[in-house]
Structure formats: C-alpha cells, structure tokens
Amino acid sequence: MVSLSSFAKQFREAVDKNHSLVCFAECIVDYSGRAESHLPVGNRILILKSDNTFLVHQKDGHMPVNYMKQGASFIIRDNGKSIMVQLKHSSLKEYMNIEVGKVHSMHSQLLEDNEKIQLVGTEKDMAEHIMKNPELVSKDFKPLSLEEHTKYGFIDVFGHDKNGTLVIVECKRYGADLNAVTQLRRYVEKIKKAKGLKKVKGVIAAPKITGNAKNMLTDWGFEFKPVKPPRFLEKFDKYQRKLIP
Amino acid sequence: MVSLSSFAKQFREAVDKNHSLVCFAECIVDYSGRAESHLPVGNRILILKSDNTFLVHQKDGHMPVNYMKQGASFIIRDNGKSIMVQLKHSSLKEYMNIEVGKVHSMHSQLLEDNEKIQLVGTEKDMAEHIMKNPELVSKDFKPLSLEEHTKYGFIDVFGHDKNGTLVIVECKRYGADLNAVTQLRRYVEKIKKAKGLKKVKGVIAAPKITGNAKNMLTDWGFEFKPVKPPRFLEKFDKYQRKLIP
DNA sequence: GGGGAGAGATGCCGC
DNA sequence: GCGGCATTTCTCCCC
C-alpha cells in the first residue's frame, strides 16, 4: 500500500522528469472529448509513459478502457480522502479526470530503449512480393510499378497484360471483404476517367475473400487471385525454425 | 532490481492464479503469427492481465509494441543468464518469445473490478438523435425505424419523404470520407434491387465531409447534411460542468 | 465461427 | 493541418 501523498508526489515527478510510471490503484475515471464516458470505482492499472501518454487498463481485455494521447497537461490535486489527477489536452479538446482512492503499488523510472520494432508481412511487403512474382496474378501480367501514392490513387500494384490492357491489383493481407471490392472499384473508375479508357482490369490478391465480396467482384467484372502474404522472409527464417518447433 | 528466478516464479504464479502483473524489464521480443516481428534488446513495460492477455509497451506511444490475445499458453524457462517466456496461441497460430535479461521492478496482485465503462456519443447515439429530430435531415423526413441489422443491411436511419420516396441515412460521428459514401452507395443499390425501386434517396449525416467524398456524393445524386454528434447528454450534463471549467 | 461495420479507433505518409 | 488508407487493427453484434 502506498500513501496518497507519496502517490501524488511521485506522479508529479514522473510527469516532470519524463519517467515511465505504473501503478495499481482504486479509481474512478471520467472522460470528455470526442465522446464521453464514466467508469465507476474499481481497481485498475494506471500507466504513464515518458511522452506523457496516459493509459488506464482494466484487469481484462486487450484495449485500455480510457486513455489520453501525448500532449495533455497534468494537474494533481490532493483532496485529503483522494487524489484528483486532471488531464487536459487543449488542442484536441479532450479531458480526463482520475480520482484515486487507494494505491496498492507503484513504480516509476527512466526507461532506456532506442530500438524500433522490425515488422514484416504487411500489405506493402505483399505488393513487393507480387512485383517480384507477377505470375501470382496471371501468366501474362507485367507489373509496371509499385505506386503507393500517385495521382491515380494509392494503387498497390499497377501493370498490364499481353494485350496492353491496364491491370490494377489491390492486395489484402487478410481476407478481402466488401470494402476491398469497393476500394478496387473506386481505383478502376478513377483511372478509367483519368486516362479515358474503356477497359481496365481489376484484381484482388488476398489469401481469401468473403462470399458477398466475391459476388460483388464478379458483378463488376473483377477477378480474385488467392495469394498468401509473404512470410518466413530470409532474415527471419532462421529465427522462425527456432520459434515454432 | 528483481532476481531472474523470482521473476520466473512470480510470473508463473500470476499466470496460474489469474493475477494481474506489471514489470519493468530489459528484454528482446519476437513475434510470429499474422505477421512477424523482432524487437532488439531494450527496457520495456510488460503487462500480464488476469485473462492472460499479454502486452509489451515501449516507453513512448499509445499502442503496445507487441501483444498476445487471451487464450495463449505460457512456458517460462530459466536459461541461467535470462528467462525465456514463450507464448503460444494454438487456435490463432500466434507465437511470441520474450527473452528477459534484467527485471527492474515487478508487482502482481488480484485486481477486483466489476465495473464496465459507460460511454455516450457513439454513432448509435447519433442515429437515435436523428430519429428524435428528423428535421435535421430535412423538413419532410419521416423516419420509420432504427434498423441496425435488417435484411436490407446495417442502415442507420430509414424513412421516407413527403412523396413517399425511401430515404436512407448513413450517420458518421466524425467527418465523412470516401468510405462513407461507398457504404451509402452499397446500401442504396442493395435496397433498390431488393425492393425493385427506381429512386431511393441517400443522405449522409455527419459533422463534416471531405472534398473528394462530397464530389463522389454529388456524382451519385446523394445529399450531405451537416449534423453534430449529440454530446452533453442529460446524465453527463452535470458532470460536464464540473469537468470542464 | 464467419461476416460486416464501428471505434474516443491509432498510426503512417503525402500534400 | 487534412486526406486517404493500413492495422498482428480490436470489438461488438448478428447470422
């Protein structure tokens, strides 16, 4: 058990020194901003990060129950019976109040960490994979470019077939849904209009597709190509064999 | 500083007893599942929740750098120089390895919390707001129903005008974008087909709309109605005046 | 369990 | 700053 006054002192210090702080505390949380919320009294995990991001986690679940992004100011007030922590994010017009009644434990320190996560298997990796292996789309597909942000939109892979017809490929690392089809539809319509073309092929490359999406795809004359997202890339290959027996 | 052996023991105990655990530790994190990642050595916050959700947070930022959902099994192995925590989520085919080299602090306990967050200001609240105030859409709009999940789709508000023409309203609590327009377009097309109608009105009700979305909207003959999301609802009104001076 | 859509989505990049 | 889009999205609800 930590006294409320030392909680208030250590919290203030962590905010000012950009330390990271975690505590287990009984609290009431209120929020107002894009929406409004109230969380009645209970025991939660409070996390203050070195950039002053603030998270409230309940004992279960993946997501924080309340949170405040970087950029808020902190006012810590001692009411005697409880500590009021008031977060105010002026630019986002977001506000949060945490009334802390009991502090079961707390720890704060400077965390040294200069590393960034290395991630593979994203949609971009998939698009590059198709660039290198155009036969995944079709035998006569000749990819021209990987254009993420061009004037024609954010088309994943862009090329043509043996007849010179333009082909637009929309990659999805997960199962393609209705949204993926409408997205492809937008790109095809846009490029038809921009280039004054009558025929442009649209292809969705994804590991799978939902039934309704498949129907809409065929209705609109597009194609689906089952493509698995690239995994087990070279630099992770060795590691993988260790990780998954 | 916590010894590696007591870290291993306390972690195992927390997993088995469904306690919540937080520690500050130097670690290396590897992940394989839907994607693959590697995070080199550094100091992070490790969080084990009572449902065995596991989170790794770096000192900055809103999101966890690595995580594993509820349902994984935990193997904790002492290598002498480090502790290997191996998470295996068989049904999701997700794996995570955390190699812990130093433990700066740790705490675990049973967290008692029976409360759920009360949230207002969602899209559903906005749809109800329009049901009660149909003039926000137009003077002659007569809403018929709030149908979230009907055979016609997930239409927010559904009604007709003075001529008996069907009106579909798609609400967005944030600015409407291209996606919102294609969504409305899908609903209108679907209901036209299902009911064999020639004309169905489509309306987007949102606080604002992007330029491109507005263009696509007018191209397709739909309308935009600026509507603010309902806030300061009665039960939070009193609280609000207190919270925001 | 799959499908569809919202979320206080967040984060990234480009303009 | 807005805009457009991916995300190991997550979460909820319905079929």
Side-chain angles (χ1 to χ4, degrees):
Chain A
M1 207 69 150
V2 180
S3 76
L4 289 178
S5 59
S6 53
F7 165 77
K9 187 165 171 280
Q10 194 172 337
F11 198 103
R12 182 76 258 168
E13 220 174 272
V15 170
D16 295 338
K17 290 187 180 175
N18 290 110
H19 285 190
S20 300
L21 180 147
V22 169
C23 71
F24 285 60
E26 184 196 85
C27 57
I28 298 165
V29 187
D30 289 289
Y31 156 77
S32 177
R34 284 169 291 184
E36 295 167 358
S37 73
H38 175 68
L39 181 62
V41 64
N43 295 288
R44 283 116 203 178
I45 305 170
L46 308 181
I47 302 165
L48 172 72
K49 292 212 191 183
S50 67
D51 61 352
N52 285 358
T53 300
F54 186 76
L55 305 170
V56 181
H57 272 275
Q58 283 185 296
K59 65 183 207 295
D60 292 323
H62 187 91
M63 304 293 285
V65 66
N66 278 112
Y67 52 89
M68 186 70 77
K69 283 192 220 176
Q70 179 177 19
S73 66
F74 289 72
I75 298 172
I76 299 150
R77 212 149 34 80
D78 193 333
N79 294 332
K81 290 251 175 183
S82 67
I83 303 285
M84 283 295 279
V85 180
Q86 297 184 290
L87 281 74
K88 187 174 164 183
H89 201 305
S90 303
S91 58
L92 297 176
K93 289 179 184 166
E94 305 249 19
Y95 309 87
M96 189 155 97
N97 279 5
I98 308 103
E99 184 173 358
V100 177
K102 283 175 198 161
V103 180
H104 306 295
S105 92
M106 81 184 300
H107 176 77
S108 63
Q109 71 172 85
L110 185 70
L111 275 182
E112 287 188 60
D113 186 1
N114 303 308
E115 301 297 337
K116 282 189 180 168
I117 193 165
Q118 299 156 21
L119 184 68
V120 289
T122 61
E123 191 173 288
K124 197 184 169 190
D125 293 323
M126 200 166 158
E128 284 168 6
H129 183 57
I130 286 172
M131 270 294 277
K132 287 175 193 161
N133 306 279
E135 69 281 4
L136 290 170
V137 172
S138 77
K139 278 186 180 176
D140 65 342
F141 178 59
K142 303 276 179 220
L144 292 171
S145 59
L146 259 187
E147 306 183 78
E148 292 285 321
H149 300 272
T150 70
K151 54 182 170 177
Y152 302 119
F154 308 169
I155 295 161
D156 292 331
V157 186
F158 183 81
H160 57 75
D161 66 10
K162 63 175 188 287
N163 303 319
T165 307
L166 278 181
V167 181
I168 292 172
V169 184
E170 174 61 30
C171 302
K172 290 293 163 198
R173 60 183 311 290
Y174 53 89
D177 56 11
L178 289 172
N179 226 335
V181 183
T182 53
Q183 205 177 332
L184 178 63
R185 184 166 140 182
R186 276 210 311 269
Y187 295 156
V188 170
E189 285 177 0
K190 194 171 178 182
I191 209 158
K192 269 185 183 170
K193 201 175 173 186
K195 297 215 168 201
L197 294 169
K198 262 196 170 178
K199 186 170 168 59
V200 172
K201 277 191 187 177
V203 178
I204 284 186
K208 54 179 181 168
I209 188 166
T210 66
N212 286 345
K214 187 77 202 307
N215 292 340
M216 179 178 269
L217 200 73
T218 14
D219 282 354
W220 280 78
F222 301 137
E223 284 172 61
F224 169 65
K225 279 287 165 181
V227 176
K228 283 183 186 172
R231 291 176 55 183
F232 302 95
L233 297 197
E234 200 183 340
K235 64 177 170 176
F236 282 87
D237 207 29
K238 215 166 163 185
Y239 157 69
Q240 278 307 324
R241 284 190 214 113
K242 263 203 310 186
L243 184 61
I244 308 170
Chain B
M1 205 70 150
V2 181
S3 77
L4 289 178
S5 58
S6 53
F7 165 77
K9 186 165 171 280
Q10 195 173 338
F11 197 103
R12 181 78 258 165
E13 221 174 272
V15 171
D16 295 339
K17 291 188 179 173
N18 290 110
H19 285 192
S20 301
L21 180 149
V22 169
C23 70
F24 285 60
E26 184 196 86
C27 57
I28 298 165
V29 187
D30 289 289
Y31 157 77
S32 176
R34 283 167 293 183
E36 294 166 0
S37 73
H38 174 67
L39 181 63
V41 65
N43 296 287
R44 284 118 203 177
I45 304 171
L46 308 181
I47 302 164
L48 172 71
K49 292 212 191 183
S50 67
D51 61 353
N52 286 357
T53 300
F54 186 77
L55 305 169
V56 180
H57 272 274
Q58 283 186 296
K59 66 183 207 295
D60 292 323
H62 187 91
M63 306 293 285
V65 66
N66 278 112
Y67 54 89
M68 184 73 75
K69 282 193 219 173
Q70 179 177 20
S73 67
F74 289 71
I75 297 171
I76 298 150
R77 213 149 33 82
D78 193 333
N79 294 331
K81 290 253 175 179
S82 67
I83 303 286
M84 283 295 280
V85 179
Q86 297 184 290
L87 282 73
K88 187 175 165 182
H89 200 305
S90 302
S91 58
L92 296 176
K93 289 178 185 168
E94 305 246 25
Y95 310 88
M96 190 156 97
N97 280 4
I98 308 103
E99 184 174 356
V100 177
K102 284 175 198 161
V103 179
H104 306 296
S105 92
M106 82 185 298
H107 176 76
S108 64
Q109 70 172 85
L110 185 70
L111 275 183
E112 287 187 60
D113 186 1
N114 303 308
E115 300 298 338
K116 282 188 180 171
I117 192 165
Q118 299 157 22
L119 184 68
V120 289
T122 61
E123 191 173 288
K124 198 185 169 187
D125 293 322
M126 200 166 159
E128 284 168 6
H129 183 58
I130 287 173
M131 268 295 276
K132 287 175 193 159
N133 305 280
E135 70 279 3
L136 290 171
V137 172
S138 77
K139 278 186 180 175
D140 64 343
F141 178 57
K142 302 275 178 222
L144 292 170
S145 58
L146 260 189
E147 307 183 76
E148 292 285 321
H149 299 274
T150 70
K151 53 182 170 176
Y152 304 121
F154 309 169
I155 295 162
D156 292 331
V157 186
F158 183 82
H160 57 74
D161 65 11
K162 64 173 188 288
N163 304 318
T165 307
L166 278 181
V167 180
I168 292 172
V169 183
E170 173 62 30
C171 302
K172 290 291 163 199
R173 63 183 307 289
Y174 52 90
D177 56 12
L178 289 172
N179 224 336
V181 182
T182 54
Q183 203 178 331
L184 178 63
R185 183 168 141 181
R186 277 210 310 271
Y187 295 156
V188 171
E189 284 176 0
K190 194 172 178 181
I191 210 158
K192 269 186 183 170
K193 201 176 172 185
K195 297 217 169 200
L197 295 169
K198 264 197 170 179
K199 186 171 169 59
V200 172
K201 277 191 184 175
V203 177
I204 285 186
K208 54 179 180 164
I209 189 166
T210 66
N212 285 345
K214 187 79 202 308
N215 291 340
M216 180 178 269
L217 199 72
T218 16
D219 281 353
W220 280 78
F222 301 136
E223 284 172 61
F224 169 66
K225 279 286 167 184
V227 175
K228 282 184 187 173
R231 289 176 57 183
F232 302 94
L233 298 197
E234 201 182 338
K235 65 175 171 175
F236 282 87
D237 205 31
K238 216 166 163 186
Y239 158 68
Q240 279 307 323
R241 285 192 215 111
K242 263 202 313 185
L243 184 61
I244 308 171

